[in-house]
Amino acid sequence: MTDNTPLENGDRFLHKETPPSKSRRKREMIELQNLGERLVALSRQQIDRLSLPPELREAVIFAGTLTRHGARRRQIQRIGALMREVDSDPIREGLDRLDQRCYDEILRFKNAESWRERLLAEGDAAVTAMATAFPAMDRRRVRQMLRNAQTTGRPAVRTRASKQLFRYIIGLLTEAPEPLS
C-alpha cells in the first residue's frame, strides 16, 4: 500500500509505505500464536529437531508443562510475542517437514499392515508378490514367520510371530519404500 504523498528524490518520485493496519497486525499476531500452539503440541524430540532460538525453545517446553488453561493461554501469548522477534518462515518449514514425516510414517505403517494381512490371507502367492516388489526380501525368513503366524498352536506364539513379521515388513518398507502392490 502506498501513500499518495510523493517524496522527491532527484528526478524520481518515491511513494512512502504506510504501516500495516491494526487489523492486519492483529491477524499476524494470532497466526503466530497458532504457530506457537502447534509448537507446544510437539514432543521434546521434535522440538529439538527444529533449531529454535533458546528463549523461544524454553518457552515452548514450559508451555507444554502447564495444565491450567489460563496459564497455558498466557504462555502461548508470550510465545507469540517471542515469535514476532524471529523469522517464523524456517519454523513453519520445520513444522511442515515434521508433518510430512508423520504422514510418511503413518503411510508406511498402513502399508506394512496391508502386506501382513495379505500374506496371512494369500500365503505363498503374496510372498511371491512381495519378493517382486522388494528384491532384498529374504523369502525363507518371511515364509518361516508366516508359518509361525498361521500355526494352530498357542495364541501367544501366533501373536509374537505376527508382530515379528510386521517388524520385518516395516524394515523392508523403510529401506526401499515402494508403493503398495
Side-chain angles (χ1 to χ4, degrees):
M1 233 180 194
T2 58
D3 187 2
N4 289 336
T5 314
L7 298 174
E8 194 169 337
N9 183 10
D11 296 345
R12 301 183 198 156
F13 287 101
L14 300 174
H15 296 283
K16 65 179 180 179
E17 304 231 353
T18 59
S21 69
K22 185 177 178 181
S23 298
R24 181 179 177 152
R25 285 194 320 257
K26 190 170 183 177
R27 278 192 304 271
E28 290 171 356
M29 287 189 308
I30 290 171
E31 182 181 327
L32 289 174
Q33 283 180 12
N34 291 339
L35 193 59
E37 286 182 37
R38 284 181 63 194
L39 288 172
V40 170
L42 297 176
S43 70
R44 183 77 178 254
Q45 292 81 18
Q46 291 172 325
I47 292 170
D48 291 340
R49 283 188 216 147
L50 286 175
S51 69
L52 298 174
E55 190 176 1
L56 179 60
R57 182 180 175 279
E58 292 304 317
V60 168
I61 291 171
F62 179 65
T65 64
L66 297 175
T67 57
R68 294 196 177 251
H69 178 68
R72 188 177 178 92
R73 181 184 53 81
R74 285 189 299 275
Q75 185 66 15
I76 288 175
Q77 286 177 341
R78 180 171 181 268
I79 290 169
L82 290 172
M83 290 189 62
R84 279 182 250 143
E85 299 170 7
V86 298
D87 184 17
S88 62
D89 289 338
I91 295 170
R92 278 189 186 90
E93 291 171 4
L95 285 171
D96 290 343
R97 280 193 309 272
L98 283 174
D99 289 345
Q100 183 62 41
R101 186 176 296 139
C102 289
Y103 174 76
D104 291 344
E105 288 173 9
I106 290 169
L107 188 61
R108 187 177 306 118
F109 184 88
K110 288 184 177 185
N111 284 344
E113 215 170 49
S114 177
W115 272 113
R116 180 179 60 180
E117 294 302 318
R118 184 173 172 191
L119 286 169
L120 291 171
E122 297 176 18
D124 221 23
V127 171
T128 305
M130 190 171 185
T132 304
F134 303 100
M137 183 185 90
D138 182 1
R139 286 181 189 227
R140 187 178 329 152
R141 184 172 176 196
V142 170
R143 283 192 178 110
Q144 180 62 43
M145 288 185 283
L146 187 58
R147 271 193 304 272
N148 291 342
Q150 292 174 331
T151 59
T152 57
R154 296 182 316 208
V157 173
R158 287 195 314 263
T159 302
R160 188 176 335 116
S162 181
K163 287 179 180 180
Q164 185 181 17
L165 180 62
F166 182 79
R167 284 191 298 269
Y168 183 78
I169 294 168
I170 284 281
L172 282 176
L173 291 171
T174 302
E175 291 171 8
E178 292 283 328
L180 182 62
S181 304

